Amino acid sequence: MKKLKTVVVGYGNRGQVYADYSLDCPEQLEVIGIVDPNPFKHSEAKARYGIQDEMLFFNLDDFLSKKIECDFVINATMDALHYETAMKILSAGYDMLMEKPIVPNEKELLAIRDKAKEMGCNVFVGHVLRYTPFYRTIKKYINEGKLGDIMTMEMNEHVCTPHFLAAFDRGKWNSEAACGSGFLLAKCCHDMDVMCWLNNSTVPEKLASMGSRSHFIKPKMPKDATEFCYQCPHVDTCVYSAKRQYLHFGVMPFLVWDKLNKPLDEITQEEKEEFLRRDNYGRCAYIAGGDLVDRQNVIVSFKDGSCCSFTLVGGTVAPERYIHIVGTQGEIEGKISEDKFVYRTYTTDQFNGSSEVVDVSKEVVNNAKFGGHSGGDFAIMHDLCAYLNGDKSSISITSINDSVNGHLCVFAAEKARKENRLVALAEFE
């Protein structure tokens, strides 16, 4: 296998997670450059990957003007920058791994698809759930015909309170206006992508959706609560307290303390406390957020008659993704947190059929310091490197069209929710 070279555009958490594959598998991948406006990120990346000074760029145009030879570019910029950066990267002829979501609207989405086709470039979308042993094995069962024709699919994602608060309430994805993405797109385009990918023998046709922000709102603030948690009488009892979340439990430190521009292990307790006195991360959870929903339901009808439903909720006790697929010849039901699912099928000698537990936990490889997506973060890089070396066997890598369908479902769902009506995907053609 030829060692591939990559340049990371946007060196945040996701950019580092993908780039760290080069540390685990140095014979397969080398990070040769970084594009990021933050000098601190340059120093971190230089030390981590041994990057030369002339390969540290503050903006994308400077990198592209050098016409540097590399096998693909990792585009891990913020959502609102995806379109501009993607079009420039593709126009320069680079293959691209693009962090999800691709873009927040269908016009830009289809433009990226068409530009990739025009330039003959591969676009690999960071829908890492496809690459997990859990969903990959479910897809294998479907492709092998073990379920027959899909009739229904039930899915949900429970975004646990620490994650919801750190990313979508107090964090930088807390407003559709600020980052360009609603909750369904920013968090659950993963799930809509999985839905369309698992069922890609057909295409989505129409959708309905309902949802609202009804809990993390000012009227729900406890009596006598203050704007910032540090001075609130409920600071030691409220489960959403910034003190509890970020000082006691140390939730998602790579997000919370990112603005301090220091290595995480060098940030003092005093610096953290002072930061929470003035930053949105220290603000009451009931007033820190923007306009994102905290619960939503989506119902999708596919062209072949199959029906799929998805439920999203932010602020649960435990994180979870659940799936139950009913086919004409069998069923699959499981939770990704367990890295196993139950496969049921009809038999002639048992009224309720037979069942077996399919355990994929031993296939999970996790190289991420924070997260890992049940092995998906490692597996996507493995499959990408293999693909660019001529191995096209990955069932997780498809044309960009499957990713387009998942995104269009999100756009249609948001239109359906906001306009309170059924929406056909044909409206986006």
Side-chain angles (χ1 to χ4, degrees), residues 143-329:
N143 287 357
E144 291 174 352
K146 291 185 176 181
L147 301 186
D149 297 327
I150 291 177
M151 298 171 66
T152 63
M153 189 184 305
E154 303 164 55
M155 301 172 61
N156 67 37
E157 182 177 8
H158 290 179
V159 183
C160 67
T161 292
H163 192 165
F164 181 81
L165 294 180
F168 305 103
D169 182 70
R170 293 175 171 131
K172 55 187 176 182
W173 292 277
N174 76 346
S175 165
E176 187 169 352
C179 77
S181 300
F183 194 19
L184 187 65
L185 182 63
K187 187 70 180 77
C188 298
C189 66
H190 275 309
D191 305 273
M192 303 306 288
D193 173 73
V194 165
M195 179 189 291
C196 292
W197 171 63
L198 291 177
N199 203 24
N200 66 0
S201 61
T202 181
V203 293
E205 196 169 40
K206 52 190 175 181
L207 295 91
S209 182
M210 293 170 285
S212 65
R213 187 182 187 93
S214 301
H215 180 63
F216 293 96
I217 54 177
K218 189 173 183 178
K220 296 291 182 72
M221 286 179 69
K223 184 181 179 181
D224 301 324
T226 57
E227 180 182 1
F228 284 88
C229 292
Y230 79 93
Q231 59 187 6
C232 183
H234 307 287
V235 66
D236 293 318
T237 56
C238 177
V239 295
Y240 308 137
S241 161
K243 177 182 176 182
R244 179 180 188 271
Q245 292 284 321
Y246 313 124
L247 297 181
H248 183 65
F249 288 113
V251 169
M252 302 184 83
F254 56 90
L255 284 182
V256 178
W257 313 119
D258 185 61
K259 294 178 187 176
L260 294 177
N261 287 327
K262 290 182 67 175
L264 295 179
D265 56 2
E266 295 181 12
I267 301 173
T268 67
Q269 182 76 2
E270 291 74 21
E271 288 174 322
K272 292 178 180 179
E273 291 175 358
E274 177 58 30
F275 177 75
L276 294 179
R277 288 174 181 267
R278 54 184 170 78
D279 189 81
N280 201 53
Y281 273 109
R283 187 169 274 113
C284 175
Y286 292 96
I287 58 173
D291 54 1
L292 302 193
V293 301
D294 52 28
R295 81 288 307 269
Q296 188 168 356
N297 295 104
V298 181
I299 302 173
V300 185
S301 174
F302 284 75
K303 197 168 185 178
D304 68 348
S306 55
C307 296
C308 302
S309 64
F310 174 69
T311 299
L312 159 67
V313 60
T316 65
V317 175
E320 189 57 82
R321 277 185 166 105
Y322 165 86
I323 188 167
H324 188 172
I325 305 173
V326 177
T328 54
Q329 297 179 24

Side-chain angles (χ1 to χ4, degrees), residues 49-74:
Y49 310 112
I51 299 172
Q52 300 300 310
D53 287 342
E54 62 269 22
M55 294 297 289
L56 300 171
F57 302 95
F58 287 99
N59 64 74
L60 182 59
D61 290 337
D62 285 349
F63 159 63
L64 295 176
S65 69
K66 301 291 185 182
K67 301 186 183 302
I68 292 164
E69 183 178 339
C70 70
D71 296 284
F72 68 100
V73 170
I74 297 173

